């Protein structure tokens, strides 16, 4: 498996990637298409395709900072889930030598508990910080999420830097 960075929305791979994005996340957790297209030009943003066995297998959309990676969105094609593609993609990112931060829904139902278990098996730890992800849509409210990090929990200072970057940079261009 490899990660292939997509930087041009005119690429023929952009439409199928965005189709997967659209079916993988609730609307309130998705960037508007115009925002997604604009941030492709941000040097810190990686719109990476998971490429396995010569074919598109999923997405890992993340932000690179000097001292960590923040995974904003991550998904595998439905027909490939449960086959190890997700854990291999995370291993590729973890192998780059920086901590990895991501957010998940609070583990309140079977699906969210399984998702948390998956990340724990991949070496992620739950962080104790109350965390509300800012809204992606005008008029929408932020939503409670659990911050997970690998290889270890974040310090309060590290969490503060991440939250400032999320609110000040990642979410700066979500509305049209």
């Amino acid at each position: 498996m490899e990660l292939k960075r997509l930087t041009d929305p005119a690429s023929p791979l952009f439409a199928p990637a965005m189709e997967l994005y659209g079916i993988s996340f609730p609307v309130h957790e998705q960037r508007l298409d115009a925002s997604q297209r604009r941030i492709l030009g941000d040097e810190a943003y990686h719109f990476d395709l998971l490429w396995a066995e010569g074919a598109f297998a999923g997405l890992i959309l993340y932000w690179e900072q000097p001292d960590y990676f923040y995974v904003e969105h991550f998904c595998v094609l439905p027909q490939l889930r449960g086959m190890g593609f997700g854990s291999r993609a995370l291993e590729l990112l973890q192998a780059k030598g920086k901590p990895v931060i991501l957010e998940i829904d609070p583990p309140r139902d079977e699906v969210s508990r399984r998702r948390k278990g998956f990340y724990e098996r991949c070496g992620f730890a739950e962080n104790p910080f109350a965390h509300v992800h800012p809204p992606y849509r005008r008029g929408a409210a932020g939503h409670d999420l659990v911050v997970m990090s690998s290889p270890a929990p974040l310090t309060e200072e590290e969490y503060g830097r991440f939250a400032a970057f999320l609110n000040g940079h990642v979410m700066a261009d979500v509305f049209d």
Side-chain angles (χ1 to χ4, degrees), residues 15-24 56-59 75-78 81:
M18 289 302 290
E19 183 179 330
L20 173 61
Y21 178 81
I23 64 169
S24 298
F56 172 59
L59 297 171
C75 55
V76 172
L77 287 167
R81 291 179 188 157

Side-chain angles (χ1 to χ4, degrees), residues 118-141:
F118 164 76
Y119 286 114
E120 288 171 337
R121 288 188 301 280
C122 290
F124 285 81
E126 180 177 348
N127 287 271
F129 311 105
H131 180 75
V132 177
H133 192 285
Y136 282 102
R137 311 280 171 149
R138 277 191 209 287

Side-chain angles (χ1 to χ4, degrees), residues 47-78:
F47 188 110
D48 283 5
L49 307 175
L50 307 181
W51 208 256
E53 300 169 17
F56 172 59
L59 297 171
I60 188 162
L61 312 180
Y62 66 95
W63 297 83
E64 183 172 3
Q65 288 297 283
D67 54 347
Y68 65 88
F69 296 109
Y70 162 54
V71 177
E72 185 177 3
H73 293 97
F74 174 49
C75 55
V76 172
L77 287 167

Side-chain angles (χ1 to χ4, degrees), residues 28-168:
H28 75 275
E29 292 181 13
Q30 295 178 31
R31 285 183 177 272
L32 296 170
D33 186 70
S35 173
Q36 190 68 258
R37 289 170 182 273
R38 281 192 300 270
I39 64 170
L40 287 176
D42 189 315
E43 188 60 33
Y45 185 64
H46 292 253
F47 188 110
D48 283 5
L49 307 175
L50 307 181
W51 208 256
E53 300 169 17
F56 172 59
L59 297 171
I60 188 162
L61 312 180
Y62 66 95
W63 297 83
E64 183 172 3
Q65 288 297 283
D67 54 347
Y68 65 88
F69 296 109
Y70 162 54
V71 177
E72 185 177 3
H73 293 97
F74 174 49
C75 55
V76 172
L77 287 167
Q79 64 270 28
L80 300 179
R81 291 179 188 157
M83 300 173 68
F85 292 101
S87 56
R88 284 190 295 192
L90 290 172
E91 287 170 5
L92 288 173
L93 194 57
Q94 291 164 318
K96 292 177 182 261
K98 295 181 189 181
V100 178
I101 301 169
L102 53 80
E103 304 147 309
I104 61 168
D105 289 323
R108 295 184 179 132
D109 60 22
E110 183 60 28
V111 171
S112 57
R113 283 190 291 273
R114 280 197 330 262
R115 187 171 295 125
K116 182 176 185 256
F118 164 76
Y119 286 114
E120 288 171 337
R121 288 188 301 280
C122 290
F124 285 81
E126 180 177 348
N127 287 271
F129 311 105
H131 180 75
V132 177
H133 192 285
Y136 282 102
R137 311 280 171 149
R138 277 191 209 287
H143 50 285
D144 293 333
L145 293 175
V146 173
V147 174
M148 298 192 77
S149 56
S150 170
L154 302 174
T155 65
E156 192 169 337
E157 181 182 324
E158 290 168 331
Y159 173 76
R161 283 196 312 269
F162 158 67
F165 177 70
L166 173 65
N167 288 290

